[in-house]
């Protein structure tokens, strides 16, 4: 069974009745519905219901403010149509999916510790792993309400391999379930790809990748994708960690930095915890400004990490250095 969804003054598309969210149904239909996180955290997928039955699957989702709720707003990533509906939303070409998401059973092949709280997870699905470097997938950890977004660290491949770098969040339901409850050989549902902070076709500009914490995963994928090109230009990679204990994750980066086209800067924000550290200290965005020390609009920027890092980099690029918006691609790990 299918429901017809009509965008007021725009397209009509069908959503399968078993589809779990309006956002997923729209993206599967190739509709350019605005979104970012897909997990109820950012509010980018807000819309109005004009007519028809629409269920909210997580009414308390933080992506809606109290004001939004009073105005009757909904989140497309946390809503499910229960019949034909008319909705009001402004579509934007930038959000048209590069690849339409698919859902697969994914077998955990390996889990490898990188630091005290980050591990690389390798899953395999029974199909080609189709995504763009920098995109993310939704994983459904056991005994966890909703999905969790994790960015791919590898490149698309014909073997169905999806690699993630996942941080165990203290008290976090989904990340702890992935670490403690999924055994090697066990399957979880993987849905993807999602996200638009992916590596764009080559421009004449050099690339800057900025990663904070587990934001490393998508930036590894972007750097790997760029280096696989015939003419990648130069790649400036900035990785911000807290202490030296977090640096186990940089082995893969150091390997990439053996290629002379990639320049790596690692910066610690809490060096007092590691007095032996002789490298740069402070915030990663300040280090980026210090090292590049020139007109930043010469670069294409990709960045991923915790919201405070994203905001600081946005402020630096968009307000202080007026880098055109089309050269800035980022994911906020809400
Ligand atoms: C685009 C994107 C990419 C990301 N990539 C990575 C990555 O590569 N590596 C990494 O370690 N982390 C990544 N994250 C963060 C990751 O998705 C989780 O937020 C993090 O692992 C904490 O999850 P948790 O379940 O342990 O914590 P919790 O605090 O239990 O859950 C937080 C997350 O779950 C969602 N959530 C909570 N309750 C519900 C509910 N009832 N229904 C539906 N959703 C709910 C929240 O919106 C939030 O996303 C990414 C986040 C985003 C948005
Ligand atoms: S995309 Fe729905 S809240 Fe972020």
């Amino acid at each position: 069974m299918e429901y017809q969804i009509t965008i007021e003054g725009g397209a009509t598309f069908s959503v399968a009745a078993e589809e779990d969210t309006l956002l997923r149904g729209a993206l599967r239909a190739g509709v350019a519905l605005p979104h970012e996180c897909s997990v109820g955290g950012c509010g980018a997928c807000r819309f109005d219901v004009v007519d028809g039955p629409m269920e909210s699957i997580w009414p308390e989702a933080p992506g809606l403010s109290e004001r939004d709720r009073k105005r009757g707003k909904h989140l497309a990533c946390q809503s499910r149509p229960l019949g034909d509906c008319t909705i009001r939303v402004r579509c934007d070409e930038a959000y048209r999916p590069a690849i339409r998401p698919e859902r697969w059973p994914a077998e955990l092949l390996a889990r490898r510790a990188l630091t005290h709280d980050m591990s690389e997870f390798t899953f395999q699905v029974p199909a080609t792993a189709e995504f763009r470097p920098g995109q993310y997938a939704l994983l459904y950890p056991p005994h966890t309400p909703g999905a969790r977004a994790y960015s791919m660290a590898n490149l698309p491949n014909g073997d169905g391999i999806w690699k993630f770098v996942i941080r165990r969040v203290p008290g976090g339901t989904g990340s702890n379930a992935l670490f403690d409850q999924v055994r090697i050989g066990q399957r979880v549902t993987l849905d993807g790809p999602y996200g638009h902070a992916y590596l764009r076709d080559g421009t004449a500009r050099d690339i800057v990748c900025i990663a904070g914490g587990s934001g490393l995963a998508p930036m590894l994928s972007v750097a790997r994708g760029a280096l696989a090109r015939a003419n990648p230009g130069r790649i400036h990679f900035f990785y911000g960690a807290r202490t030296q204990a977090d640096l186990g994750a940089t082995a893969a980066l150091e390997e990439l930095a053996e290629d002379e086209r990639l320049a790596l800067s690692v910066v610690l924000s809490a060096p007092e915890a590691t007095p032996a550290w002789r490298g740069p200290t402070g915030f990663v965005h300040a280090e980026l400004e210090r090292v590049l020390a020139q007109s930043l609009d010469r670069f294409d920027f990709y960045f991923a990490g915790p919201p405070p890092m994203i905001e600081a980099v946005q402020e630096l690029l968009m307000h202080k250095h007026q880098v055109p918006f089309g050269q800035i691609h980022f994911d906020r790990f809400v």
Side-chain angles (χ1 to χ4, degrees):
M1 193 166 54
E2 291 189 330
Y3 302 134
Q4 291 301 305
I5 309 297
T6 304
I7 299 177
E8 203 178 55
T12 296
F13 58 98
S14 315
V15 172
E18 67 272 14
E19 201 59 87
D20 56 358
T21 70
L22 175 68
L23 176 65
R24 185 169 193 280
L27 297 180
R28 289 217 15 97
V31 175
L33 208 71
H35 64 286
E36 267 185 39
C37 72
S38 305
V39 289
C42 73
C45 64
R46 274 182 306 238
F47 72 102
D48 296 297
V49 177
V50 177
D51 188 31
M54 188 71 72
E55 176 187 44
S56 174
I57 53 180
W58 187 22
E60 307 80 28
L64 283 181
S65 64
E66 271 322 302
R67 187 159 175 262
D68 289 329
R69 288 196 173 82
K70 279 191 190 129
R71 293 167 64 206
K73 297 279 177 196
H74 298 254
L75 295 175
C77 69
Q78 303 299 326
S79 298
R80 194 158 74 95
L82 299 176
D84 294 349
C85 293
T86 302
I87 62 172
R88 189 179 305 122
V89 66
R90 188 171 302 170
C91 287
D92 181 335
E93 262 321 294
Y95 295 99
R96 196 175 298 287
I99 300 168
R100 297 183 191 190
E102 297 267 359
R103 182 168 290 174
W104 306 102
E107 179 183 343
L108 180 63
L109 293 188
R111 183 171 34 223
R112 185 168 63 93
L114 302 177
T115 68
H116 63 290
D117 63 353
M118 282 205 283
S119 288
E120 180 189 76
F121 287 66
T122 304
F123 287 94
Q124 186 168 35
V125 308
T128 300
E130 253 200 282
F131 55 85
R132 297 274 171 91
Q135 286 196 291
Y136 66 91
L138 299 179
L139 295 181
Y140 288 76
H143 314 297
T144 301
R148 298 295 183 269
Y150 295 106
S151 311
M152 283 68 83
N154 60 331
L155 290 179
N157 59 87
D159 300 323
I161 300 292
W162 300 63
K163 286 191 186 223
F164 304 94
V165 174
I166 300 181
R167 190 170 84 83
R168 187 197 278 274
V169 174
T173 316
S175 58
N176 282 283
L178 288 169
F179 275 85
D180 299 332
Q181 296 175 34
V182 184
R183 293 184 308 280
I184 303 299
Q186 202 173 321
R187 290 184 173 79
V188 298
T189 299
L190 182 155
D191 176 14
Y194 289 92
H196 24 264
Y198 55 79
L199 179 64
R200 300 304 198 269
D201 292 340
T203 68
R205 289 179 289 272
D206 287 345
I207 286 177
V208 179
C209 295
I210 311 148
S214 55
L216 182 62
M219 293 304 107
L220 273 176
S221 183
V222 165
R224 286 176 169 142
L227 286 173
R229 289 175 170 163
N231 294 307
R234 253 186 104 59
I235 301 163
H236 303 267
F237 200 120
F238 294 87
Y239 182 56
R242 283 195 72 251
T243 71
Q244 225 161 339
D246 301 317
L247 294 185
T250 58
L253 272 176
E254 280 152 18
E255 227 171 83
L256 286 187
E258 284 171 15
D259 189 317
E260 59 185 18
R261 297 169 298 177
L262 186 139
L264 174 62
S265 306
V266 176
V267 52
L268 296 189
S269 63
E272 62 285 359
T274 43
W277 175 250
R278 295 283 168 267
T281 59
F283 289 121
V284 68
H285 66 280
E287 181 63 8
L288 147 78
E289 194 180 26
R290 190 187 70 76
V291 171
L292 297 179
Q294 44 192 297
S295 51
L296 294 184
D297 59 3
R298 298 185 309 118
F299 301 100
D300 286 329
F301 288 89
Y302 295 87
F303 46 108
M309 184 205 98
I310 298 294
E311 275 147 34
V313 177
Q314 272 183 302
E315 171 65 30
L316 177 79
L317 300 183
M318 290 158 77
H319 296 131
K320 190 164 173 197
H321 289 272
Q322 317 254 304
V323 177
F325 194 64
Q327 290 169 228
I328 297 177
H329 312 281
F330 62 90
D331 263 335
R332 196 190 321 256
F333 286 10
V334 289

